[in-house]
Amino acid sequence: MNTSEKIKIFAMIVLVVFLFGCSNNMVIKEEVPNVKQETDVLEKERNKETNSENERAIYEVDANIPVSRALAAKMIALTYNDYADIKTMDREIQYEDVKPSDWYDMYINAATVQGFMNGSGKVFNPLEPLTYANAQTLLERIAEGKFKVKMNLSKEMQKKYITYNDWVNIYMRLLSKLSGEKSIEEAYGIRERGFVLVATPANSTELDAWEMGTDKGIYGFAGLPMDAYIDKQIRVLLKDNEVFAFLKIEEEKPTITNVYIADTSEDEITIFVGGVHRTYKSNNNFSGEKGKIGDIQIQAGSLISLKTYEEAISGRVLLVDSKKIELEGKGHIEFANDYKLYSIVGEKPQWCSLSNLTIGEDIGRFILKDNKICAAIIEKKPTPNKIRVALHKTGFTGLVHQEVKITSDENFIVKIGDEEQIYKSGESFNIKEEEEKLSDQIPRVKIRTQSGNGKLKVLSIQRNGQNPKYRGTLDIVQLDQGYSIVNELPIEEYLYAVVPSEMPTSHGLESAKVQAVTARSYAYVQFYSNRFHTYGGNVDDSVQCQVYNNTPETDISIQAVKATQNEGIKYNGSVISANFFSTSSGYTANSGEVWADYADKSFPSYTPPYMVSKKQFEGTDFGDLSKEENAKKFFKATDIDGYDQEFGWFRWNITMSLEELSASINANLKQRYAANPKLIKVLDENNIFRSRPVENIGTLKKIDIVKRGQGGNIMEMVLIGSKATIKVLTEYNIRFLLQPKQYIEGKEPIVINLSNGSTMQDYSIMPSAFFVIEPNNQDGKLIGYTFFGGGNGHGAGMSQNGVKGMVDKGYNYKQILQHYYPGTEVTKIY
């Protein structure tokens, strides 16, 4: 054994003694032990690690990377927060040496705000290396007294900079102990992964700063020097899509499997994988391999070998999950472990996900390797002529059915594999009687009426007390835990039963035309989203997409769909997702003043030009509704000539005591904070609202409305309680916390008084955020509030009851749509 090997063993022994010294005490000892004895100890600990997955916290780290305070802040911040939450967290730090443009700014902000790290006066010293003494302090703060963390270090050792492998292993061991019976991935979302690093901004213009292209996709690597590992297979720890820690190089001459060969020349080959292109030098001419799928072995920018695969299958995609795909007539085909998905529709290849494999469509080739799908090449854009709808159980409680019974008013055909059986009118098919015939190669039952024009009734589902009937065909799809039921039919016929389920056909034909066009636009967008591919559907039949066949089709809904055939709403040539709601207050809202940004959760968010606040009444307006005095006049006014004025929700009022409001707030606060911490902020000791965990404000003392949108909708509200004062952002959070619902046992239900004289009780959400408040006092003391409001729903886009009002005033469906979605055109979309 040479000297370097002895030193390496000794280093590992020191680390093992630290990590496994005691269950409640972590100790590093500096004396040199007997090498043979400690090697045996190390082996025992490795065996212990193998026997208990949760104890797996010693990593083979091989990296000469300095551990800066900034890098430590990144690891701590990602441990306790999702990447998106860190990115959108309010910036509270004011260090002179940390700027918002620095990669480490958001991590230092999170680590500081959450009390793990702090600076020295006005500076943080982000690039200063972490010492063993610094590490000791950080570990103690993270342990929070649950474990005693102690390093027996000399004064000289305390001042030394901690090595990267020591830091990673010590830190991960502590997280393993803190996670208890859970794995580190379950507790903190930190997972280990290996991949080939293909590109960084050093060799690719397709990547942004601190982005790396790999054979598994694009990941962030802020603060870690990764350029030296290009064209190597490496192992890392990940949190979300950000590299949490680098572990080691696994292969100097790696093989990248299932790449798309984008271009070739006599001495070069350009591949596309993981979202980036990369060109390698080659001693061979691979000109004939362009457009194929292949495995390549590489080394330092050169191609060592290439093997391509040409065996392919195709067909309509009927179901896709992470393990398999079902193609029509071919049954289930498994995905290879390293499968990759590409689209060559458009000017350049695209890196795809499973949702891009549109259900019901034959869109490309599936390349086979060892009888498994190793890659898919999407070659054409699907056209939504038909749509596949995954049907919920009774009450819209889930898409996995334990029983399926189907009948029809006419003869119908049940097909299982190649076998067809005719059932007579009134007979019923029960999946339980035929399930033994199903297998991986015959995973579904297909049912259609004999004429092709009749309807199939599902006896195992109820909608509004009746068994629903469906046009088109029904597929019963075998899943791991039960069955899904998928209704396939032309998209126009699908709309027959969407229109009456979303808008009363009593509103008349012209109103139904409006709903038909908006529903068609929405379905078009949802078809391409393909969110329900694991159930075999493009969409579902609930409010997650749009409600379908909860109310049966009517003559009016059929007429409306046919009169607007293929028409949708476009803005600048693209079909919009046409949002709508029940009833307006007399104004709609800017969408960005209603919803937080989907990607980064910031609020307010961007408002498209076609989703702006619009006046919904005729006559003189009330001035700027973002001002409280104007909003009060408007929402208490009952003589407005509004498009929605004939409907009870146009104006409403609710009275609740402080006790009732407190109960509602405290019952729902934890859930709303968890949904997006940035949108619930707590007043701290410095009188600054900051995002902090909160579950209870105590007894409500006062409500303050802080900010309104252009349409008068409340965007920000402050709730002052005996235990905490919070600022609540977005209309949904406000409405959900102030539920007009009785949470106090034994007390009368909360009553909503509507403008048409009717009442509602214990509503599950405040009807809208378009309201004002008036205090109720008794003997000079505040005892509660009365809410005077208008409308029902989020308030962005089209008011369905407003449509009826506009029709009554003589507007046609195109005029109405262009009123609610300004700047758009109603035109054929497919």
Side-chain angles (χ1 to χ4, degrees), residues 75-105:
M75 290 178 68
I76 293 168
L78 283 171
T79 299
Y80 295 98
N81 306 276
D82 292 337
Y83 178 83
D85 291 336
I86 296 170
K87 192 173 182 179
T88 59
M89 192 177 289
D90 290 339
R91 189 177 190 272
E92 302 179 22
I93 56 173
Q94 297 181 353
Y95 301 123
E96 293 178 352
D97 55 352
V98 181
K99 302 187 296 296
S101 57
D102 295 327
W103 71 261
Y104 42 74
D105 178 79

Side-chain angles (χ1 to χ4, degrees), residues 284-562:
N284 298 307
N285 186 344
F286 291 114
S287 300
E289 307 301 323
K290 182 178 179 179
K292 295 181 180 179
I293 296 295
D295 297 343
I296 64 169
Q297 187 178 22
I298 57 171
Q299 181 183 21
S302 295
L303 180 71
I304 298 175
S305 65
L306 167 66
K307 182 179 181 180
T308 57
Y309 301 91
E310 298 187 57
E311 183 182 357
I313 57 174
S314 60
R316 284 212 310 157
V317 179
L318 297 181
L319 183 141
V320 178
D321 63 29
S322 60
K323 296 179 181 178
K324 62 185 179 300
I325 187 170
E326 183 190 346
L327 298 179
E328 189 170 51
K330 299 178 175 65
H332 288 158
I333 306 106
E334 287 185 36
F335 284 115
N337 290 333
D338 55 349
Y339 73 88
K340 296 176 177 67
L341 308 178
Y342 305 96
S343 171
I344 57 172
V345 177
E347 296 180 359
K348 58 181 182 179
Q350 298 291 321
W351 182 244
C352 296
S353 64
L354 293 175
S355 64
N356 295 106
L357 298 175
T358 307
I359 299 299
E361 301 294 312
D362 181 356
I363 55 176
R365 292 177 290 137
F366 297 90
I367 312 302
L368 296 178
K369 183 198 300 184
D370 298 327
N371 297 317
K372 293 183 179 181
I373 293 173
C374 66
I377 303 175
I378 299 171
E379 298 173 313
K380 56 187 177 182
K381 183 178 179 179
T383 303
N385 295 314
K386 289 189 173 184
I387 195 164
R388 294 178 65 85
V389 190
L391 306 181
H392 274 262
K393 296 184 290 186
T394 300
F396 297 96
T397 55
L399 292 166
V400 180
H401 302 251
Q402 298 307 314
E403 62 172 346
V404 182
K405 295 180 181 179
I406 294 171
T407 187
S408 178
D409 292 336
E410 66 171 68
N411 292 354
F412 62 101
I413 300 171
V414 175
K415 183 177 181 181
I416 305 176
D418 294 327
E419 178 186 326
E420 290 188 349
Q421 180 177 348
I422 298 176
Y423 284 70
K424 293 183 179 180
S425 171
E427 292 183 343
S428 64
F429 169 82
N430 187 339
I431 188 61
K432 293 295 184 184
E433 297 172 0
E434 303 289 347
E435 59 186 353
E436 72 279 355
K437 295 181 180 180
L438 299 179
S439 66
D440 279 347
Q441 293 309 305
I442 306 175
R444 68 179 57 225
V445 177
K446 300 181 72 67
I447 304 176
R448 70 184 191 275
T449 60
Q450 194 167 27
S451 70
N453 298 315
K455 294 180 181 179
L456 298 164
K457 181 190 289 189
V458 182
L459 298 173
S460 50
I461 297 176
Q462 284 202 342
R463 299 283 187 258
N464 289 322
Q466 296 181 342
N467 300 123
K469 297 179 181 180
Y470 296 91
R471 292 175 177 266
T473 63
L474 290 174
D475 285 7
I476 306 169
V477 186
Q478 188 176 45
L479 305 174
D480 290 341
Q481 303 300 320
Y483 303 92
S484 68
I485 306 176
V486 177
N487 178 207
E488 183 178 53
L489 72 169
I491 196 166
E492 295 295 299
E493 294 182 9
Y494 159 75
L495 296 174
Y496 293 167
V498 169
V499 171
S501 297
E502 290 286 2
M503 177 185 282
T505 50
S506 60
H507 284 9
L509 178 59
E510 203 67 20
S511 295
K513 289 181 187 178
V514 175
Q515 186 66 61
V517 176
T518 56
R520 188 180 290 110
S521 300
Y522 196 85
Y524 182 94
V525 174
Q526 291 296 312
F527 172 86
Y528 288 110
S529 296
N530 199 40
R531 288 186 293 150
F532 296 89
H533 57 82
T534 57
Y535 299 97
N538 309 119
V539 299
D540 79 342
D541 61 344
S542 78
V543 292
Q544 293 185 71
C545 292
Q546 50 191 347
V547 181
Y548 164 63
N549 208 24
N550 190 45
T551 300
E553 64 187 52
T554 66
D555 290 342
I556 287 178
S557 68
I558 294 171
Q559 289 178 53
V561 171
K562 288 182 175 180

Side-chain angles (χ1 to χ4, degrees), residues 113-129:
V113 165
Q114 294 173 347
F116 294 109
M117 300 183 76
N118 52 269
S120 301
K122 295 183 179 181
V123 296
F124 186 84
N125 299 314
L127 301 181
E128 180 180 292

Side-chain angles (χ1 to χ4, degrees), residues 170 399 584 673:
I170 291 168
L399 292 166
S584 90
Y673 176 81

Side-chain angles (χ1 to χ4, degrees), residues 588-800:
T588 56
N590 292 325
S591 65
E593 295 176 340
V594 171
W595 298 304
D597 185 85
Y598 179 78
D600 66 14
K601 303 180 183 179
S602 60
F603 182 77
S605 60
Y606 170 70
T607 297
Y610 54 84
M611 287 289 285
V612 296
S613 175
K614 293 276 291 184
K615 179 182 170 185
Q616 305 300 319
F617 63 95
E618 298 179 358
T620 306
D621 64 30
F622 285 70
D624 183 357
L625 292 188
S626 66
K627 298 185 181 302
E628 202 62 31
E629 61 272 21
N630 294 333
K632 185 160 289 191
K633 293 176 186 175
F634 180 67
F635 293 124
K636 293 191 73 175
T638 58
D639 58 350
I640 298 171
D641 187 18
Y643 300 139
D644 305 72
Q645 66 176 329
E646 298 300 322
F647 298 89
W649 286 115
F650 183 63
R651 287 292 179 269
W652 47 263
N653 65 78
I654 303 164
T655 297
M656 295 177 71
S657 69
L658 292 180
E659 184 184 15
E660 290 168 334
L661 287 164
S662 301
S664 178
I665 294 165
N666 293 330
N668 297 291
L669 184 54
K670 181 179 180 180
Q671 177 187 346
R672 295 319 309 155
Y673 176 81
N676 187 343
K678 187 177 176 63
L679 302 179
I680 305 284
K681 301 182 180 183
V682 182
L683 188 68
D684 69 7
E685 64 277 3
N686 298 313
N687 285 324
I688 298 173
F689 283 102
R690 306 186 190 279
S691 180
R692 299 288 188 274
V694 60
E695 298 183 13
N696 193 309
I697 67 166
T699 301
L700 179 68
K701 293 183 175 181
K702 188 183 179 186
I703 297 176
D704 285 332
I705 295 172
V706 177
K707 187 176 182 181
R708 292 184 182 273
Q710 184 180 337
N713 53 299
I714 302 173
M715 298 171 62
E716 296 181 14
M717 173 181 282
V718 169
L719 303 175
I720 302 170
S722 60
K723 293 182 178 179
T725 295
I726 62 173
K727 181 185 285 188
V728 185
L729 291 79
T730 72
E731 62 92 33
Y732 188 79
N733 278 343
I734 291 167
R735 294 169 63 200
F736 204 80
L737 290 181
L738 301 180
Q739 287 184 18
K741 180 179 178 181
Q742 186 57 263
Y743 280 89
I744 302 172
E745 190 174 347
K747 298 197 78 173
E748 294 293 323
I750 307 298
V751 176
I752 306 177
N753 300 297
L754 307 184
S755 59
N756 62 0
S758 62
T759 60
M760 301 285 290
Q761 291 186 347
D762 278 355
Y763 213 54
S764 61
I765 191 170
M766 188 66 73
S768 78
F770 296 80
F771 63 81
V772 293
I773 58 173
E774 286 194 356
N776 298 320
N777 296 294
Q778 188 176 76
D779 300 326
K781 181 181 179 182
L782 180 67
I783 61 169
Y785 286 95
T786 297
F787 301 84
F788 294 91
N792 190 351
H794 52 69
M798 183 187 79
S799 165
Q800 292 169 302

Side-chain angles (χ1 to χ4, degrees), residues 83-303:
Y83 178 83
D85 291 336
I86 296 170
K87 192 173 182 179
T88 59
M89 192 177 289
D90 290 339
R91 189 177 190 272
E92 302 179 22
I93 56 173
Q94 297 181 353
Y95 301 123
E96 293 178 352
D97 55 352
V98 181
K99 302 187 296 296
S101 57
D102 295 327
W103 71 261
Y104 42 74
D105 178 79
M106 64 180 184
Y107 298 116
I108 290 173
N109 180 63
T112 300
V113 165
Q114 294 173 347
F116 294 109
M117 300 183 76
N118 52 269
S120 301
K122 295 183 179 181
V123 296
F124 186 84
N125 299 314
L127 301 181
E128 180 180 292
L130 198 70
T131 65
Y132 278 92
N134 296 150
Q136 165 83 44
T137 301
L138 287 177
L139 294 170
E140 288 173 349
R141 290 176 180 174
I142 293 164
E144 297 183 74
K146 296 175 183 176
F147 297 101
K148 184 178 179 182
V149 181
K150 183 173 177 58
M151 298 187 196
N152 290 332
L153 303 168
S154 66
K155 290 183 179 180
E156 186 177 326
M157 190 69 172
Q158 290 177 32
K159 297 176 184 178
K160 289 185 178 181
Y161 300 140
I162 192 167
T163 64
Y164 185 76
N165 61 334
D166 272 7
W167 167 248
V168 171
N169 277 294
I170 291 168
Y171 188 78
M172 296 304 292
R173 175 58 177 167
L174 178 58
L175 294 189
S176 179
K177 286 186 171 293
L178 289 171
S179 61
E181 295 181 358
K182 295 181 179 179
S183 67
I184 291 174
E185 181 172 355
E186 290 172 326
Y188 299 103
I190 300 167
R191 66 192 192 279
E192 188 176 341
R193 191 163 196 187
F195 50 64
V196 179
L197 177 52
V198 176
T200 72
N203 69 339
S204 174
T205 59
E206 295 178 297
L207 297 166
D208 293 332
W210 297 114
E211 279 188 347
M212 62 166 72
T214 78
D215 64 326
K216 301 292 194 299
I218 294 175
Y219 300 98
F221 65 101
L224 289 165
M226 302 300 289
D227 293 349
Y229 307 122
I230 293 173
D231 289 343
K232 294 176 172 58
Q233 183 172 309
I234 61 176
R235 198 146 197 89
V236 301
L237 297 176
L238 287 173
K239 175 68 181 281
D240 299 328
N241 275 344
E242 185 71 20
V243 176
F244 185 85
F246 173 83
L247 296 181
K248 63 177 180 176
I249 297 173
E250 291 187 308
E251 180 59 60
E252 295 278 358
K253 300 177 183 179
T255 295
I256 310 178
T257 59
N258 308 320
V259 302
Y260 178 76
I261 301 171
D263 204 358
T264 58
S265 66
E266 289 186 0
D267 60 354
E268 288 184 336
I269 182 170
T270 299
I271 66 162
F272 178 77
V273 70
V276 293
H277 290 80
R278 180 71 192 283
T279 300
Y280 290 96
K281 294 289 183 183
S282 173
N283 293 326
N284 298 307
N285 186 344
F286 291 114
S287 300
E289 307 301 323
K290 182 178 179 179
K292 295 181 180 179
I293 296 295
D295 297 343
I296 64 169
Q297 187 178 22
I298 57 171
Q299 181 183 21
S302 295
L303 180 71

